[in-house]
Each structure stands twice: as structure tokens, then as C-alpha cells.
Amino acid sequence: MAPTGQTITVPTPSDKEIAAYPREYALFKQLDHSHKGEIPLKEATDYVKKYGSASVELTAGEVPFEQLAKALHKKGSQNGKGNTLGYAAQDSGGHLSPFVFDRRSLKNDDVCIQITHCGICHSDLHQIKNEWGASNYPMVPGHEIVGIVTAVGSKVNKFKVGDRAGVGCMVDSCNDCHQCKTEGEEQFCSKSVQTYNMKNFDGTPTHGGYSTHIVVVDRFVLHLPENLPMDASAPLLCAGITTYSPLKHYGLNKAGMKIGVVGLGGLGHMAVKIGKAMGLEVTVFSTTEKKRDEALSVLKADHFVVSKDEKQMQAVSGSLDGIIDTVSAKHPLALYLQTLKVGGVSVMLGVPDESMELPTFNIIMRRLRIGGSPIGGVKETQEMLDFCSKHDITCEIETIDIQYVNTAMERLMKNDVHYRFVIDVQGSLIQ
């Protein structure tokens, strides 16, 4: 056991050393994150046991980076030829298995990120099973990506090696249309390139964050604030921005406003957290009492309403300025629209696999609005991350190894997750 009070110092590694040990460099940057050069020996020893070779012993004093890298190194798996190891679905059965492929070489405006963690979004499940009818295989999912920058192109000036970074649902766009240049809403660009299951402009397929590293044009890389933990921040890149953006766009972000959140899952719990940080009065709707304590005591929602209880629903009738509807299954819209004030808005975030009945008369007579919202643009996503940093907001997660991913997908189908799975890529996917 390492004595308490002793420390190690690690000189700055060279570009050559970082290129030789990108995973170990990313681990080192996280280990040194809060210590700025003086790392407690015991913490470093425990870190090596967790992520590297337990047989390698560190001693106090200066430790060359290569020595630390060898201690943090783990034997990986190499199945096939390529510079990246991922987990991919090969067909609509959706089973994920090891898959080796090539990321492109670094261009002048590219950033290379060693992935530390990747969240599992419900859309990953839809895509690997081709439930939306547009899947291409082999497919490496994942668009809630965080990691450490290990290389930058010669024209990149907003990021440097060692930075904490994130990548969300997009990796490129035309950068020329009105949405890109004027509105800053690249998500609406007709040529936007999604992080996976699409083609880059050069015709090569995009592959997501269930992989060891990713190369992305710098315009689509985000700064991960220093105070946010890597693992619990990953889902912010989708679940966070998907709830932040509609609150802002539909004017539901003014302190004192009353909103309802339908569904308390990955999106719903983020809507509650962000809404409360905006100063909103938040009511959670659920079909059973099961999540009452969680909503009120843990997430700090103001009210909890069982939507199947007529008296509870009547008590909130006509009281809300807006609703964030996160449910991705068919459900009765009219039931929730009655809780809106005249002129209120219900924003749909979930994508049900069946069409839903629209209560037209109610909408007309009370001047209600029904809207929708996908993700946000890059600028707004960075704004959301900074907002979460200021208010100390992260996702409630269950961290898993990549080898558990198929079981996680089965559980996700049953909504058996609290509230987001996050893959420990650096600890379990090693090339």
C-alpha cells in the first residue's frame, strides 16, 4: 500500500509519446485533472490497479510519462485491420460485437479525441434494429461522446492537446446555408452529417462513440467544462441539449413559469433538472406512483401527478405554461393538453412508433400549440454545457463496460435503466 502524503510528478509527454499511448495519456490527464502536477501516490496506485497493470508498482517522486503509460497499459484485442476498435451492429438483429475500422487521418481543421465515455441513447437502440427504416451496416452507434484531445490539425486554434472535449449528434454540415451561417442551427442543415449511420462528404461512413477514438472537424467539437465529471456529462450531449433547446426556443425558460414534464426517463429527468435551474415550477406526470419519491426528493420537482388519477389531473387543469413531452410510445395527448393554460404549448421530444390522435377542437378553442424539437446547434449545445457547469447539472447514470452493451440494450427496451447507461470506454474497450 502506498504511504499517504507522498506524491508523484509526471513531466509533460512529447507528441510522440502521446501518439504511442493515446488511451494512457487520456487517463493521465484525468488523474492529474484536479492536482495540476502533484498527484497523490496512493491515488495514482489505485488508478493503475483500476485501469492498468496491477503488477506495476509506482514510487514517489518524478515518474516519466512512458513509465506511467506502461503501468496504465492493458492488453487489448485486435480483430482485423484498422486504427480504431469499436462495437458494431452488423444487421437489424442489433447485436453489437467488436469491429475494427479506420478513422480518417487528421486534416488541418480536425480534432482527434480519445474517447473516455459514451452514453447510450434510446435512438441507438432504434437505429441498430432499423426501427426507423434507414439503417446502414455495419453500424457503430453513439452520439454522447466525451474524451481527451490527443491531436489537432495545423489550423485548429480553439482546442489543444489535453483539453476535455465532447461530440454530440452531428459531426459536419455544409457551413454555407442560412441555417449554418446565420441561425447557428446546424441541426436543420439539409446536408448535416450525423455522428453515425450517415456518410461523410467524402462518401465514407460515419461511426459513433462506441469506439476508442474519433476524428471530427473542429466546428463540431465542444469544450467540456472543467468541473463536470466525464462519465455523467456524456449524456448531456444529447439528453441535455434535447431538453434545454425547446425550453429556450418556446420561451419556457423564464423564472416563475410553470411547466409539466411527461415521462421521467433519460430525457424527462434532464428536463426536470434544467427546468429547476431556470427557476421554473416543475410538475412531473407519470402513469403510476412508483417514481413520486424520486421526482420530488431526488430531482426536486415541485409536484408529481399520476396521469391515470382523474382527481389529480383535474387539480392541475389549465395551470401550466408549457409541457415537455418525452414519451416515445403512443399516449393520449388530450389528457395532458387539458393541463395547459390558454395559449400554452406542448413540445414533443419522443418519437412514438404509431401515429397519435390530435384533439383538434381542444387545440382550436384554447389556442394551444403543439411543437417539436430535436437537438440544438453547436453554439447552443456549448451554451447548455456552460449552463450545466454553472448549476452543477449532470445526468443520473449507470456506468457499464462495453461487454455489457447487449444486455444494456435489452434492459433499455424494458425501460430498466436509471436514467442513462454510460459506457466506460477507456476501461473496457482497449485496442
Side-chain angles (χ1 to χ4, degrees):
M1 180 180 293
T4 57
Q6 294 189 339
T7 63
I8 66 169
T9 58
V10 182
T12 302
S14 66
D15 291 345
K16 185 177 180 181
E17 287 176 318
I18 295 170
Y21 298 101
R23 170 184 171 270
E24 292 75 17
Y25 175 71
L27 287 166
F28 159 63
K29 290 301 293 183
Q30 294 166 81
L31 177 62
D32 190 42
H33 176 63
S34 60
H35 301 298
K36 309 302 181 188
E38 295 286 333
I39 305 169
L41 178 59
K42 183 179 186 308
E43 187 174 328
T45 301
D46 291 344
Y47 205 68
V48 167
K49 288 179 180 177
K50 180 177 180 179
Y51 288 110
S53 306
S55 59
V56 178
E57 187 173 339
L58 298 175
T59 56
E62 183 173 293
V63 176
F65 172 75
E66 187 173 6
Q67 180 182 336
L68 177 63
K70 288 179 178 178
L72 289 169
H73 183 71
K74 259 186 183 177
K75 185 178 180 181
S77 59
Q78 180 79 34
N79 300 308
K81 295 181 179 179
N83 62 21
T84 310
L85 175 62
Y87 261 55
Q90 300 292 339
D91 53 47
S92 61
H95 182 81
L96 294 156
S97 58
F99 172 67
V100 176
F101 62 100
D102 278 312
R103 296 285 190 193
R104 67 172 180 258
S105 298
L106 200 70
K107 297 178 182 178
N108 290 339
D109 56 354
D110 278 343
V111 175
C112 181
I113 301 168
Q114 186 71 22
I115 298 171
T116 63
H117 301 86
C118 184
I120 297 179
C121 177
H122 208 284
S123 62
D124 296 347
L125 179 60
H126 289 304
Q127 293 271 44
I128 62 174
K129 290 185 172 294
N130 195 28
E131 292 177 352
W132 293 341
S135 296
N136 300 292
Y137 302 98
M139 180 196 304
V140 178
H143 57 211
E144 299 178 347
I145 303 165
V146 295
I148 301 293
V149 175
T150 55
V152 296
S154 60
K155 294 183 178 180
V156 175
N157 53 33
K158 293 182 179 179
F159 293 89
K160 64 183 184 301
V161 171
D163 281 352
R164 307 162 93 238
V167 178
C169 302
M170 302 174 290
V171 291
D172 211 346
S173 69
C174 77
N175 200 31
D176 191 49
C177 68
H178 177 73
Q179 299 296 341
C180 287
K181 297 192 77 171
T182 306
E183 298 296 329
E185 293 186 321
E186 300 89 349
Q187 74 272 29
F188 298 121
C189 172
S190 63
K191 297 180 181 178
S192 68
V193 179
Q194 304 303 301
T195 305
Y196 69 90
N197 194 38
M198 285 196 75
K199 290 189 181 298
N200 291 297
F201 290 131
D202 64 5
T204 59
T206 60
H207 289 306
Y210 297 14
S211 58
T212 49
H213 78 280
I214 191 167
V215 177
V216 183
V217 63
D218 61 348
R219 292 185 295 111
F220 287 84
V221 180
L222 298 144
H223 286 281
L224 186 66
E226 292 292 317
N227 66 311
L228 294 180
M230 304 288 284
D231 52 1
S233 298
L236 295 178
L237 279 305
C238 179
I241 186 59
T242 300
T243 48
Y244 180 90
S245 184
L247 286 170
K248 204 180 150 195
H249 176 78
Y250 287 97
L252 298 173
N253 60 339
K254 300 174 182 64
M257 295 186 84
K258 299 179 179 181
I259 68 160
V261 175
V262 181
L264 195 60
L267 291 177
H269 93 287
M270 288 309 306
V272 175
K273 286 190 173 191
I274 291 172
K276 289 299 296 178
M278 289 177 171
L280 309 180
E281 185 175 325
V282 180
T283 297
V284 171
F285 292 96
S286 190
T287 56
T288 70
E289 289 278 359
K290 187 170 66 172
K291 295 183 179 180
R292 179 180 291 273
D293 286 345
E294 176 84 11
L296 299 177
S297 301
V298 179
L299 300 176
K300 306 302 181 183
D302 298 283
H303 313 285
F304 184 90
V305 174
V306 177
S307 57
K308 291 183 177 181
D309 187 311
E310 189 175 337
K311 287 184 178 180
Q312 290 188 39
M313 291 297 287
Q314 187 60 37
V316 293
S317 179
S319 66
L320 303 178
D321 296 291
I323 291 172
I324 300 297
D325 189 337
T326 70
V327 178
S328 58
K330 187 176 181 179
H331 57 287
L333 291 180
L335 182 66
Y336 300 102
L337 293 182
Q338 69 175 326
T339 67
L340 290 172
K341 297 176 181 177
V342 170
V345 59
S346 181
V347 187
M348 310 294 293
L349 303 185
V351 185
D353 53 9
E354 297 180 64
S355 297
M356 295 198 295
E357 196 172 310
L358 200 64
T360 311
F361 186 79
N362 189 11
I363 293 169
I364 293 171
M365 298 308 293
R366 300 180 60 240
R367 199 193 285 160
L368 302 179
R369 294 171 290 157
I370 294 181
S373 185
I375 55 171
V378 175
K379 181 179 179 182
E380 189 175 49
T381 304
Q382 187 63 61
E383 179 185 296
M384 176 274 305
L385 286 172
D386 295 339
F387 178 88
C388 289
S389 171
K390 179 180 179 181
H391 295 280
D392 197 24
I393 296 172
T394 56
C395 291
E396 303 297 316
I397 64 169
E398 180 179 335
T399 306
I400 64 167
D401 288 345
I402 191 75
Q403 292 77 15
Y404 187 79
V405 69
N406 290 299
T407 302
M409 290 296 182
E410 291 173 6
R411 287 179 54 191
L412 189 57
M413 281 191 282
K414 302 171 185 175
N415 293 318
D416 177 23
V417 57
H418 183 266
Y419 283 95
R420 207 72 157 187
F421 287 117
V422 172
I423 302 169
D424 177 13
V425 173
Q426 64 186 1
S428 60
L429 186 61
I430 303 164
Q431 192 172 16

